[in-house]
């Protein structure tokens, strides 16, 4: 049995650390199962050590949509990966874990998303005071979100609500809800590979607490942090479509981990030809249906030339042998919306991407660019 150690780069927030640990444990266990199933004569064990990387999005203030979008959280991690063998030992990173909804849809030269783990619940959730729901919030209630997509769909459901732009980690945002202020009191961080609890009374998003009646967050993040009990309403995709990639974790590595790093063939180890244990383990951990779904969603986003500043929701899933993609494009104020659904029987990555592009073209023909302020033509 051979043992291989790799460095996993992560942001230092509680959610990022939790997701990175989930990814490390999932890759390790699924690769072990894969080898046992295929009767590998010389089994390989992969282990990961977490290394924190501070990103620009962790220190800049202001609305997220005006800071370059969610990609500000991925840029520093990606640079560490690209530094590759030229990085010093204390800065070396072999793999990065991203919330897929936070990863720009355009490919990054030199890097490849080698695995997408099985998707967690993709829905949005309302966390409100006194057990309230979207329908029972009093008129004029203040609802916090930093997402133009969520804001537009909330305004469509309840034009009378006051939407408050908020930022910060999950605990800080929950702490903006009246009665849940204690959740903003501390944060978990990693200092020199040691987890500590620190006061979160300074930094991005910590200026206020208890000033909202509710906030909207991703169910996946709340579940991973053990805070699902705070959810007062799960928002069904028929009412609020999630962000493309929401709930999915993307595992990104250097292209040099594969002789053929083409994303279209990464489901086939014989074609992709991983060069060491890391690549082999990631291919074993990839969840095919999740990969198909997010490939369609992100292809749509690329064709629309849209990022997190655009009020676009998309959710794909395999239903009775077809990949079905549901999309909403909204005006920022939520007063007008385009909804579109399409499907394909091509259950491979190229087919999923063609579905996403086709739906995007249909939406552009329907006037999506003018409606949502997109630059796509």
């Amino acid at each position: 049995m051979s043992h291989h150690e790799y460095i996993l780069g992560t942001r230092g927030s509680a959610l990022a650390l939790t997701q990175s640990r989930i990814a490390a444990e999932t890759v390790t266990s699924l690769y072990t199962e894969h080898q046992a199933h295929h009767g590998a004569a010389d089994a390989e064990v992969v282990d990961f050590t977490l290394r924190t990387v501070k990103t620009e999005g962790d220190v800049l203030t202001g609305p997220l949509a005006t800071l370059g979008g969610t990609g500000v959280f991925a840029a520093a991690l990606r640079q560490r990966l690209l530094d590759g063998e030229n990085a010093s030992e204390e800065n070396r990173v072999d793999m990065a874990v991203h919330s897929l909804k936070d990863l720009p849809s355009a490919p990054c030269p030199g890097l490849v998303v080698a695995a997408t783990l099985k998707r967690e619940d993709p829905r949005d959730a309302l966390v409100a005071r006194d057990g309230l729901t979207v329908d029972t919030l009093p008129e004029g209630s203040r609802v916090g979100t930093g997402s133009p997509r969520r804001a537009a769909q909330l305004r469509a459901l309840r034009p009378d609500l006051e939407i408050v732009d908020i930022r910060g980690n999950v605990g800080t945002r929950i702490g903006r809800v009246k009665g849940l202020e204690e959740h903003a009191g501390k944060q978990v961080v990693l200092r020199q590979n040691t987890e500590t609890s620190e006061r979160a009374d300074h930094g991005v998003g910590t200026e206020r607490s208890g000033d909202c009646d509710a906030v909207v967050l991703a169910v996946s993040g709340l579940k991973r942090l053990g805070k699902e009990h705070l959810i007062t309403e799960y928002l069904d995709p028929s009412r609020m479509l999630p962000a493309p990639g929401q709930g999915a974790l993307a595992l990104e590595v250097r292209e040099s981990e594969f002789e053929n790093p083409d994303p279209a063939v990464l489901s086939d180890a014989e074609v992709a030809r991983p060069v060491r244990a890391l690549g082999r383990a990631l291919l074993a951990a990839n969840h095919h249906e999740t990969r198909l779904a997010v490939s369609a969603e992100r292809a749509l986003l690329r064709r629309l030339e849209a990022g997190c500043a655009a009020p676009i929701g998309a959710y794909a899933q395999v239903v009775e042998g077809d990949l079905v993609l549901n999309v909403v494009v909204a005006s920022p104020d939520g007063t007008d919306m385009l909804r579109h659904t399409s499907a394909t029987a091509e259950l491979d990555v190229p087919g999923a991407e063609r579905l996403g592009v086709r739906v995007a073209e249909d939406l552009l023909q329907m006037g999506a660019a003018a409606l949502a302020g997109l630059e796509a033509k």
Side-chain angles (χ1 to χ4, degrees), residues 323-340:
L323 180 64
V324 182
L325 176 61
N326 290 281
V327 183
V328 63
V329 178
S331 60
D333 62 4
T335 57
D336 199 3
M337 285 191 176
L338 290 174
R339 294 185 181 274
H340 190 41

Side-chain angles (χ1 to χ4, degrees), residues 50-362:
L50 271 58
R51 176 167 289 160
T52 53
V53 177
K54 179 168 282 191
T55 72
E56 192 175 18
D58 294 317
V59 295
L60 291 177
T61 60
L64 185 60
T66 66
L67 298 177
T70 48
V72 298
F73 294 120
L77 285 169
R78 285 181 146 182
Q79 187 57 56
R80 287 288 188 91
L81 274 176
L82 287 168
D83 288 344
E85 301 304 322
N86 297 321
S88 61
E89 184 57 34
E90 63 270 18
N91 289 321
R92 182 172 65 89
V93 168
D94 299 305
M95 182 175 83
V97 177
H98 308 282
S99 291
L100 196 54
K101 71 180 181 63
D102 294 343
L103 199 62
S105 59
C108 180
L111 302 180
V112 63
V113 174
T116 307
L117 301 186
K118 186 175 181 180
R119 196 174 207 166
E120 181 53 272
D121 191 326
R123 292 176 293 178
D124 289 304
L126 190 76
V127 175
R129 64 174 177 85
D130 305 322
L132 293 168
T133 66
V134 170
D135 292 335
T136 61
L137 282 165
E139 184 175 347
S141 291
R142 291 166 54 87
V143 181
T145 176
S147 161
R149 171 191 61 84
R150 289 171 177 154
Q153 293 184 88
L154 275 173
R155 290 185 175 112
L157 292 170
R158 288 285 306 272
D160 62 293
L161 297 176
E162 179 184 351
I163 308 302
V164 180
D165 186 73
I166 63 172
R167 282 198 61 201
N169 61 39
V170 173
T172 299
R173 284 180 283 164
I174 292 173
R176 297 291 291 267
V177 179
K178 192 177 303 181
L180 299 178
E181 292 89 344
E182 72 275 8
H183 290 272
K186 61 183 179 181
Q187 60 185 347
V188 177
V189 297
L190 200 66
R191 300 292 187 207
Q192 297 180 340
N193 293 325
T194 301
E195 190 175 290
T196 63
S197 259
E198 296 185 355
R199 292 294 303 174
D201 52 7
H202 63 281
V204 175
T206 59
E207 299 86 359
R208 291 175 298 278
S209 62
D211 63 328
C212 292
D213 297 288
V215 295
V216 181
L217 301 166
V219 171
S220 57
L222 293 167
K223 289 182 71 171
R224 288 168 180 151
L225 289 173
K227 297 182 181 292
E228 189 178 12
H229 63 284
L230 297 175
I231 296 174
T232 56
E233 183 180 10
Y234 294 85
L235 300 175
D236 190 85
S238 63
R239 303 192 77 196
M240 182 176 288
L241 274 173
Q246 185 161 305
L249 297 181
L251 280 51
E252 192 171 44
V253 295
R254 290 180 286 275
E255 287 184 340
S256 58
E257 294 292 344
F258 304 92
E259 291 184 28
N260 181 8
D262 183 350
V265 302
L266 283 179
S267 60
D268 189 332
E270 291 187 7
V271 178
R273 299 187 298 279
V275 300
R276 59 177 181 166
L278 177 59
R280 291 188 286 273
L282 291 176
L283 297 193
N286 185 62
H287 189 257
H288 183 61
E289 287 194 7
T290 297
R291 184 75 171 223
L292 293 180
V294 299
S295 293
E297 294 164 15
R298 288 166 61 77
L300 167 107
L301 213 55
R302 280 195 301 275
R303 177 60 188 94
L304 293 179
E305 298 181 26
C308 75
I312 296 172
Y315 179 44
Q317 56 185 327
V318 176
V319 180
E320 297 180 351
D322 287 335
L323 180 64
V324 182
L325 176 61
N326 290 281
V327 183
V328 63
V329 178
S331 60
D333 62 4
T335 57
D336 199 3
M337 285 191 176
L338 290 174
R339 294 185 181 274
H340 190 41
T341 300
S342 190
T344 182
E346 295 182 273
L347 297 185
D348 56 20
V349 170
E353 292 183 339
R354 282 191 287 270
L355 172 64
V357 171
R358 185 174 76 241
V359 171
E361 297 287 358
D362 290 345

